[in-house]
Amino acid sequence: MAKQRFRDVKQGRIAPPQTRQKPQGSRRSGDVPRNATLRERFKAFLTDSFMILMPIMYIVFYLVFSGREGFAAHKLLGWIYILVPYIIITALFLIKSGQTPGMRAYSIRVVDAKSGKQPSAAAIWLRQILAVWDFLLFTWILQFFLKSHRTLHEILSGTALVEAPESGGSGR
């Protein structure tokens, strides 16, 4: 097969090479959505960290404890002041729409692992509380070894992160 030159393709002398493309929107409503990839999970986590966690940390560091020194003197209390609002805010996002801002940005959603539907509020609260312990105890590493990429807090709460149907960037 001869090498195709761009000029020949552009001028219509020869046909462009055919590339295989994924069909867009081919997933039927009865199909099971795929699990979120490690890359999608990480990008959503980073986005949520900057949009939710960093403002809380700033408020706690500078408004509650008047700077780094005040926070350093009361680390345990400081982390409680940071983590409790973070858990509450993310849980409320998940209860309302099944997505945090980071999850929405990367088209992933929290669902009940068995039914694929929106998890109960109790499952979401359990998931968010266990997520803190999962992070602190490094058991989140489990996601690198499971094909489903589920973390321990997702397994224990019966939830999963899956691909969300395209919403056109406007909510649910």
Side-chain angles (χ1 to χ4, degrees), residues 84-168:
V84 169
Y86 180 75
I87 290 169
I88 292 170
I89 291 168
T90 55
L92 291 175
F93 271 116
L94 293 176
I95 289 168
K96 183 177 182 330
S97 66
Q99 296 175 304
T100 61
M103 291 176 192
R104 183 170 298 211
Y106 295 101
S107 298
I108 55 179
R109 166 181 307 281
V110 173
V111 297
D112 182 89
K114 290 182 181 160
S115 69
K117 296 184 185 330
Q118 174 83 9
S120 68
I124 289 174
W125 283 109
L126 179 63
R127 179 188 193 278
Q128 293 309 102
I129 292 167
L130 291 174
V132 173
W133 291 108
D134 197 13
F135 186 76
L136 294 175
L137 299 175
F138 291 96
T139 53
W140 53 269
I141 293 172
L142 181 64
Q143 68 185 325
F144 296 108
F145 301 104
L146 295 177
K147 187 177 181 180
S148 66
H149 300 302
R150 288 175 70 198
T151 57
L152 185 60
H153 68 274
E154 291 172 331
I155 293 168
L156 294 175
S157 66
T159 60
L161 268 178
V162 298
E163 172 187 38
E166 291 300 321
S167 59

